[in-house]
Amino acid sequence: MRENGVQGLQRYLRYGSGLPGNFTDTLWKPFMKPSAKPSAIFLFLSILLVGAFVATRLLSTSTLDGQPSIPILTTKTSQIPKTPRHNIKIPLNCSAYDLTRTCPSNYPTSVLPDEGLDGFEPAACPDYFRWIYEDLRPWAHTGISRDTLESAKRTANFKLIIVKGKAYVETYQKAFQTRDVFTLWGILQLLRRYPGKVPDLELMFDCVDWPVVLSKAYSGPNASAPPPLFRYCGDDNTLDIVFPDWSFWGWPEVNVKPWDHLLKELKEGNERTKWVNREPYAYWKGNPAVAATRQDLLKCNVSDEHDWNARVFAQDWLRESQEGYKQSDLASQCMHRYKIYIEGSAWSVSEKYILACDSVTLVIKPHYYDFFTRSLMPVHHYWPISEDDKCRSIKFAVDWGNTHKQKAQEMGRAASQFIQEELKMEYVYDYMFHVLNEYSKLLQFKPTIPQKAVELCSESMACEAQGLTKKFMMESMAKGPADSGPCTMSPPHAPSSLYSILRRQTNSIRQVQKWEKKYWDNSNKQS
């Protein structure tokens, strides 16, 4: 999403071409027992031969005279379940926890082959998963030693340890609001979803908005390995490892529901009013106090002197909390053809809610990215807005969209489909799984449980929670193992492929800038 994305390629070239891979052997088991009787074997082989002949005829894509035929069988064999689906449930046992104040000892930490799986081939992961390789590239050739890991402690809120399928946490400092609470809750749900599949690891997590591991401090032939620090966003000048943010499991302080529930409400909100019947303006509502760029956006509101096609509002969260959040329901804010995304002190969690709205998302030039936004394409998923000339840029974008209604609707629909289909909760968990799995391969030491660490489980967090925190935890709790394994991640981008993506993003933004300049040049000539 960034015009200066070529810096991402420079980082790619600086840190090498890939991560070490693990390979597993395929074990073939005999399908016939030695004790089978000869007659039974002969009958079995006869059936196989006849079946093969019939299948060959049915699946042939052309006839003997060379004319194409219609395939009769179209279902892939990989889509036939190997075993019946097992609906394994992991109950939340608060009664037992209240008595012992310890996590259940019988928590499942493994799943038998195909148990809880429906037998379908895993789906391919969305393309943004491939950025995991880029985020971990700084350690691809050096690995991560314990000293390197501990060097990330300086700003971390906590250390997460996973050993034999169980989670432990060593807390260094409390995070703002419940960021750390719901981040850890999300990791616990990952372990419930894929018991025994998440490898042993230790990692440091920083819950503050802005990334801090500067790449320039770890460049050069004699530079030490950078500290591996997980957080919610990054930028082109830092090496922080991005991870899904806490709000996917709920944000009680501002009444933002867990993503699974909210995604359904956003889809229903989209269907209430068709795009052509929505207000033909750009809408934004948020807290302007967190950043000067947001305060600058307020100047674009309609006034007696100007109408920049923008309707922007300052959000008073204290008043909202007192009035029961009646004016901040996200699913009810899809009433305008255009919605503005603008960063706060760094990236903002609001981006996914805005993109899901079927409206054209007007993205004011961002400086940060989260785990999925690097695969968004300008003029396909969103419309780029100038950071230094917001008001005029917004007015042009809205005028363009109202003139090219079909293209504008397609852009809004592309973004909401991306969110609904490629950012559904299953993929959020799969992204977590893959980034942790790839990260664990880099560790050069055996993860151990520190003395000060405490064991985490769903009971230790949810049973003692209250109010919206407890409500959101119960709503977002994984009931048991997933019906299928994690999606299959594609290999890393080749340098030429990555460069092509970044160049396309940059060229699309420059094209919009040319259209915008021409628009205002013509407007000035007419005035």
Side-chain angles (χ1 to χ4, degrees):
M1 294 180 69
R2 306 168 310 286
E3 185 176 0
N4 196 25
V6 72
Q7 292 184 5
L9 180 66
Q10 293 173 344
R11 185 172 75 170
Y12 178 105
L13 296 174
R14 183 186 312 134
Y15 290 107
S17 60
L19 288 168
N22 286 356
F23 298 91
T24 57
D25 294 327
T26 302
L27 301 179
W28 295 91
K29 296 182 178 179
F31 65 90
M32 295 177 59
K33 296 181 179 179
S35 59
K37 295 180 179 180
S39 58
I41 295 174
F42 178 80
L43 178 61
F44 180 76
L45 290 175
S46 299
I47 293 172
L48 279 182
L49 288 172
V50 172
F53 175 79
V54 173
T56 302
R57 299 294 294 172
L58 290 176
L59 295 174
S60 175
T61 57
S62 64
T63 60
L64 291 175
D65 60 4
Q67 297 299 315
S69 65
I70 300 174
I72 297 177
L73 300 179
T74 57
T75 304
K76 295 180 180 179
T77 56
S78 62
Q79 293 177 324
I80 300 175
K82 299 174 184 175
T83 56
R85 181 175 297 188
H86 297 268
N87 292 317
I88 303 172
K89 302 295 183 183
I90 305 176
L92 188 74
N93 195 341
C94 287
S95 299
Y97 178 79
D98 289 341
L99 291 174
T100 64
R101 313 302 291 177
T102 58
C103 291
S105 58
N106 60 343
Y107 234 67
T109 56
S110 64
V111 174
L112 296 174
D114 291 330
E115 186 179 6
L117 306 181
D118 60 13
F120 286 84
E121 291 292 330
C125 297
D127 201 57
Y128 63 83
F129 278 56
R130 300 172 80 175
W131 289 98
I132 290 173
Y133 300 112
E134 310 312 317
D135 287 345
L136 297 178
R137 197 170 299 282
W139 303 274
H141 300 298
T142 63
I144 298 172
S145 66
R146 180 165 290 284
D147 287 343
T148 301
L149 174 69
E150 294 299 328
S151 68
K153 181 178 177 178
R154 183 173 56 87
T155 65
N157 289 97
F158 61 83
K159 177 195 281 189
L160 170 72
I161 305 98
I162 296 177
V163 174
K164 296 181 180 179
K166 294 186 177 182
Y168 306 82
V169 64
E170 183 176 13
T171 302
Y172 303 128
Q173 51 185 324
K174 186 72 183 71
F176 177 64
Q177 296 182 338
T178 51
R179 293 184 176 201
D180 51 351
V181 172
F182 277 90
T183 298
L184 290 167
W185 175 257
I187 291 168
L188 286 178
Q189 305 323 300
L190 174 68
L191 297 180
R192 288 169 69 94
R193 184 175 176 83
Y194 296 131
K197 292 184 178 294
V198 180
D200 290 2
L201 57 83
E202 294 181 39
L203 63 81
M204 298 288 185
F205 206 108
D206 188 340
C207 299
V208 176
D209 279 346
W210 48 89
V212 297
V213 184
L214 298 176
S215 55
K216 65 181 181 182
Y218 302 95
S219 59
N222 299 318
S224 59
L229 185 63
F230 283 74
R231 69 173 350 96
Y232 309 120
C233 74
D235 63 25
D236 287 336
N237 300 311
T238 56
L239 302 174
D240 301 61
I241 305 167
V242 294
F243 196 81
D245 71 81
W246 73 95
S247 67
F248 282 101
W249 297 271
W251 189 0
E253 288 82 3
V254 293
N255 196 38
V256 170
K257 301 174 184 177
W259 185 234
D260 246 349
H261 295 256
L262 187 53
L263 201 56
K264 295 175 185 176
E265 292 184 3
L266 287 166
K267 187 175 183 179
E268 293 170 358
N270 282 339
E271 295 170 354
R272 291 174 197 161
T273 308
K274 293 183 179 180
W275 188 90
V276 292
N277 297 327
R278 297 184 183 185
E279 294 291 324
Y281 304 107
Y283 173 88
W284 179 81
K285 188 175 185 179
N287 181 7
V290 297
T293 186
R294 289 190 173 188
Q295 296 170 21
D296 188 45
L297 176 63
L298 295 181
K299 299 174 185 177
C300 302
N301 216 343
V302 62
S303 65
D304 294 336
E305 293 81 20
H306 296 286
D307 186 352
W308 300 109
N309 291 333
R311 303 294 184 263
V312 297
F313 304 91
Q315 177 75 289
D316 186 342
W317 283 114
L318 178 60
R319 182 177 177 181
E320 276 296 294
S321 64
Q322 294 171 345
E323 297 180 357
Y325 303 99
K326 295 178 181 179
Q327 304 300 319
S328 59
D329 178 53
L330 292 171
S332 300
Q333 294 183 20
C334 299
M335 302 300 293
H336 294 74
R337 293 181 182 176
Y338 311 88
K339 294 198 70 176
I340 299 169
Y341 169 72
I342 184 170
E343 293 177 337
S345 57
W347 127 104
S348 171
V349 299
S350 66
E351 187 163 19
K352 56 183 176 289
Y353 312 127
I354 294 171
L355 287 164
C357 227
D358 251 9
S359 305
V360 179
T361 301
L362 308 184
V363 176
I364 296 175
K365 182 183 177 181
H367 297 274
Y368 302 91
Y369 54 79
D370 66 7
F371 73 101
F372 71 89
T373 53
R374 285 172 284 186
S375 287
L376 297 179
M377 194 60 62
V379 197
H380 177 66
H381 294 110
Y382 70 95
W383 187 272
I385 297 295
S386 169
E387 180 183 29
D388 301 323
D389 198 3
K390 296 180 182 68
C391 301
R392 282 158 48 101
S393 192
I394 290 170
K395 178 171 175 54
F396 166 66
V398 173
D399 283 349
W400 182 93
N402 288 336
T403 303
H404 303 82
K405 292 185 177 66
Q406 183 62 34
K407 292 180 179 179
Q409 289 181 71
E410 290 172 358
M411 197 183 309
R413 196 176 300 116
S416 60
Q417 285 179 348
F418 175 90
I419 297 298
Q420 289 285 343
E421 296 172 9
E422 299 191 35
L423 199 64
K424 55 188 177 181
M425 204 62 209
E426 293 93 318
Y427 284 138
V428 176
Y429 280 122
D430 285 1
Y431 187 95
M432 295 164 62
F433 171 82
H434 281 299
V435 71
L436 294 180
N437 186 54
E438 296 299 324
Y439 167 83
S440 71
K441 297 175 185 177
L442 300 170
L443 300 182
Q444 296 180 326
F445 58 90
K446 182 179 180 179
T448 56
I449 305 167
Q451 263 190 332
K452 295 181 180 179
V454 297
E455 184 181 354
L456 284 181
C457 59
S458 295
E459 282 80 2
S460 67
M461 298 191 75
C463 294
E464 297 183 338
Q466 297 179 345
L468 280 180
T469 298
K470 186 179 186 73
K471 181 177 185 291
F472 290 167
M473 283 182 174
M474 297 307 295
E475 289 179 355
S476 62
M477 185 175 68
K479 307 305 181 186
D483 290 333
S484 60
C487 62
T488 302
M489 193 163 63
S490 299
H493 285 292
S496 58
S497 173
L498 185 61
Y499 178 76
S500 177
I501 293 170
L502 299 175
R503 183 177 59 183
R504 182 183 167 195
Q505 290 173 333
T506 299
N507 289 343
S508 296
I509 293 173
R510 287 176 178 170
Q511 181 61 64
V512 171
Q513 291 171 342
K514 290 179 181 178
W515 290 340
E516 187 175 319
K517 183 179 184 304
K518 184 177 180 180
Y519 171 89
W520 285 110
D521 286 346
N522 292 338
S523 179
N524 292 334
K525 290 177 183 178
Q526 295 172 6
S527 60

